[in-house]
Amino acid sequence: MTMETVQTNTRTYNRTLVVVVMMIAMAAGALMQTSLGTAIPSLMKAFDINLSTAQQATTWFLLFNGMMVPLSAYLANRIPTKILHMVAYGLLFIGVLVTMSTPENSGSWWIFIVGRIISAMAFGIMMPMMQIVILNMYEPKERGAAMGAMGLVIGMVPAIGPTLSGWILKQDHTILGFTLSDSWRSTFLIPLIITGIALVLTPFLMKNVIPTKKVKLDFLSLILSTIGFGLFLWGFTNVGSHGWGNVPNVLLPIFAGVLLIVVFVWRQLKLSNPFLDVKVFLTKDFTIPSIVGILAMMAMFGVEMMLPTYLQNVRGLSAFDSGLTLLWGALLMGVFSAISGALYNKVGAKTLGMVGFAILGLGTFPFLFLTPETPTIIISVLYGVRMAGIAMVMMPMTTKAMAALPDEKTSHGTAANNTLRQIANSVVVALLTSVVQNVINNNTPSNHMKVTEPLRYASKMLDASLDGFKIAFMISLSFAVLGFILSFFIKQDKEEA
């Protein structure tokens, strides 16, 4: 992207400055989304909760994130861009502040979750809005590079989150005379500061890029989408603590959510001005790249949340060392996001998808053979290979999907794409968490052995945890295989090599 001004109607603005503001705010939101991966063990100790409960900090974030995304298409067309961003950044600031201020006891865990929910609502607006703004500011030939720059935030910053939180949790740090404590609370201080910076810059640098129009809000559609997606995702968040066979907390919410989502989709097909235009999925060139991109995100997010816990609970690494192990993956994610953006117009999304998933599969397969003695450097290298492959897939697929839609449908296409992505992320986190927790629960030795044979008890618990993580990695590998197969069905445009 070059520093340049663009004039639309009677308004002149600098595109790069608009993107910079959004990237700053997105960095804070992305850190909020993934930095807890390394801090989960610390939260378990601080609040005296188990793994399933601690993972709710992630699953509830994804739940409300996914619930808000369908509303983004309406908000983008109804509210001026600058005002909507200020509201979103303000909500994010409040949410981070509430989370980091939560008292340390199990009875206050709900306050922590409330803060996460507020942050998720903000992020649910910010993510699709950034894509919509970029699609409105850049011509189709420029979008590959612009979306590649966006990939630096969406891909690299979440990957940096575990390393950053691990560094914070290792020890107290003195920076310019200010002491950053090794408390889990400090992991939220940096996102809070970044959000504050974006909030201050927005009135001056953000512009009303998206033309507004009077769009009537269909409240019934809003209620159906909110409750439907909410129940569906809530059922999956309960799997880890209640198990798949639990009717009132798992099966009933999932089935009720599916029913309401079906009614919601049916209503959108009947409305002349739908709340969320699901007809975009009738466009094959939009649907296939969207699904492929979602599979890449699921492969990334599931392992990204599981690996720090494995490194700390099975390998015995500190929070910092576990985060440091993932650092090279974060760096490669950023590098290959930029590379894939540059290559998009030259080789096309189809080629990038097949190559990216092949690399992802090669980096994931060895995880099935991990042992407590596997060298940390091997894990770091494999993780880096995985992230490079994912970076080659995610943004090109989003760009490809959006290119298949007319400009007037981009807001609905972005909202639909991100809705499925957030639902998929929430499902994969709940799925992998439940798999690991259930394997551990089913193989936990008796409490009597804990007293009489403590070493054997510890060994069996270690084996149970390792078995659970291996199954989680196997599921992630299946996403790579399926993504590779689907990439064959992506249409290669004439201008793509």
Side-chain angles (χ1 to χ4, degrees):
M1 292 184 297
T2 58
M3 291 289 290
E4 56 184 317
T5 58
V6 175
Q7 185 169 343
T8 57
N9 300 328
T10 59
R11 198 178 304 276
T12 301
Y13 60 89
N14 188 298
R15 296 191 298 185
T16 303
L17 293 179
V18 172
V19 173
V20 166
V21 174
M22 292 190 298
M23 289 179 70
I24 291 173
M26 282 291 294
L31 284 174
M32 273 289 294
Q33 188 177 25
T34 62
S35 60
L36 283 185
T38 307
I40 287 293
S42 298
L43 292 173
M44 292 169 64
K45 295 178 182 177
F47 288 91
D48 191 23
I49 53 179
N50 60 24
L51 175 61
S52 295
T53 302
Q55 286 288 3
Q56 289 177 1
T58 297
T59 51
W60 280 99
F61 186 98
L62 294 173
L63 190 158
F64 275 84
N65 196 343
M67 288 167 57
M68 285 298 296
V69 171
L71 186 60
S72 65
Y74 167 79
L75 297 175
N77 290 310
R78 189 69 178 85
I79 302 175
T81 309
K82 180 185 292 188
I83 295 176
L84 185 55
H85 278 82
M86 290 181 65
V87 171
Y89 300 165
L91 282 174
L92 182 61
F93 188 88
I94 293 171
V96 177
L97 190 61
V98 169
T99 299
M100 69 180 295
S101 303
T102 305
E104 286 188 352
N105 60 76
S106 58
S108 298
W109 180 245
W110 68 270
I111 300 176
F112 189 98
I113 297 299
V114 167
R116 296 285 291 173
I117 289 173
I118 296 173
S119 300
M121 293 172 66
F123 199 57
I125 298 173
M126 292 161 53
M127 172 77 80
M129 277 297 295
M130 186 173 186
Q131 294 181 11
I132 296 170
V133 169
I134 287 177
L135 292 171
N136 274 266
M137 290 195 304
Y138 291 91
E139 297 297 325
K141 291 184 178 180
E142 301 175 297
R143 290 173 183 172
M147 295 293 277
M150 178 181 169
L152 289 173
V153 175
I154 296 179
M156 186 174 180
V157 174
I160 289 176
T163 305
L164 178 61
S165 61
W167 174 77
I168 291 173
L169 294 169
K170 181 180 181 181
Q171 62 186 35
D172 291 348
H173 300 277
T174 301
I175 305 173
L176 300 176
F178 174 79
T179 300
L180 185 67
S181 72
D182 60 353
S183 168
W184 61 267
R185 300 183 193 277
S186 298
T187 61
F188 295 100
L189 183 60
I190 294 177
L192 186 71
I193 294 173
I194 296 175
T195 305
I197 293 172
L199 194 56
V200 170
L201 292 177
T202 298
F204 305 101
L205 302 182
M206 181 58 64
K207 304 299 178 181
N208 293 323
V209 176
I210 305 170
T212 57
K213 54 187 176 181
K214 291 185 178 180
V215 182
K216 184 179 180 181
L217 178 62
D218 184 52
F219 283 99
L220 180 56
S221 293
L222 175 61
I223 292 172
L224 287 172
S225 68
T226 302
I227 298 178
F229 289 120
L231 284 173
F232 179 80
L233 296 174
W234 180 61
F236 275 96
T237 64
N238 290 332
V239 170
S241 55
H242 295 281
W244 288 99
N246 187 284
V247 174
N249 296 294
V250 177
L251 297 180
L252 184 60
I254 290 176
F255 287 129
V258 169
L259 179 61
L260 290 176
I261 291 172
V262 170
V263 175
F264 169 77
V265 171
W266 176 83
R267 181 170 178 79
Q268 304 318 296
L269 294 174
K270 298 295 183 181
L271 291 173
S272 56
N273 294 305
F275 174 74
L276 181 65
D277 191 354
V278 296
K279 289 182 181 179
V280 294
F281 289 110
L282 297 178
T283 304
K284 178 182 175 182
D285 292 339
F286 169 83
T287 302
I288 294 179
S290 295
I291 294 174
V292 171
I294 287 169
L295 288 169
M297 180 68 79
M298 293 173 71
M300 180 188 78
F301 209 84
V303 171
E304 194 170 77
M305 299 309 298
M306 290 289 103
L307 198 53
T309 305
Y310 158 79
L311 290 170
Q312 294 178 54
N313 290 358
V314 175
R315 294 296 309 279
L317 271 65
S318 66
F320 173 68
D321 289 335
S322 67
L324 194 61
T325 303
L326 309 183
L327 179 59
W328 287 107
L331 297 177
L332 286 173
M333 183 81 178
V335 171
F336 277 86
S337 291
I339 292 175
S340 64
L343 291 176
Y344 175 77
N345 290 325
K346 296 181 179 180
V347 302
K350 181 175 184 176
T351 301
L352 287 172
M354 290 189 294
V355 173
F357 276 113
I359 293 174
L360 173 59
L362 290 174
T364 304
F365 183 72
F367 277 103
L368 304 182
F369 305 97
L370 291 181
T371 69
E373 293 78 29
T374 301
T376 303
I377 185 63
I378 297 297
I379 297 174
S380 185
V381 169
L382 291 175
Y383 184 73
V385 172
R386 293 188 80 258
M387 297 304 278
I390 290 169
M392 294 183 68
V393 176
M394 285 204 307
M395 283 303 103
M397 291 304 159
T398 301
T399 306
K400 180 71 173 180
M402 293 303 118
L405 301 176
D407 290 343
E408 63 270 16
K409 295 290 186 180
T410 55
S411 61
H412 287 278
T414 301
N417 186 301
N418 280 280
T419 297
L420 287 185
R421 182 171 292 185
Q422 294 306 320
I423 290 174
N425 287 346
S426 184
V427 169
V428 74
V429 170
L431 174 64
L432 297 188
T433 300
S434 67
V435 165
V436 174
Q437 191 67 58
N438 287 338
V439 170
I440 293 174
N441 291 343
N442 292 334
N443 293 277
T444 298
S446 64
N447 289 328
H448 178 70
M449 182 183 291
K450 188 175 183 179
V451 177
T452 59
E453 299 179 82
L455 293 179
R456 187 182 176 193
Y457 177 89
S459 177
K460 285 186 172 293
M461 286 296 295
L462 187 66
D463 291 340
S465 297
L466 188 58
D467 289 342
F469 286 118
K470 284 183 178 180
I471 295 176
F473 296 140
M474 186 180 297
I475 294 173
S476 183
L477 178 62
S478 69
F479 298 147
V481 173
L482 183 57
F484 181 83
I485 295 172
L486 287 179
S487 295
F488 277 102
F489 297 96
I490 295 175
K491 180 181 178 182
Q492 190 88 343
D493 294 334
K494 292 181 180 180
E495 63 272 17
E496 297 173 349

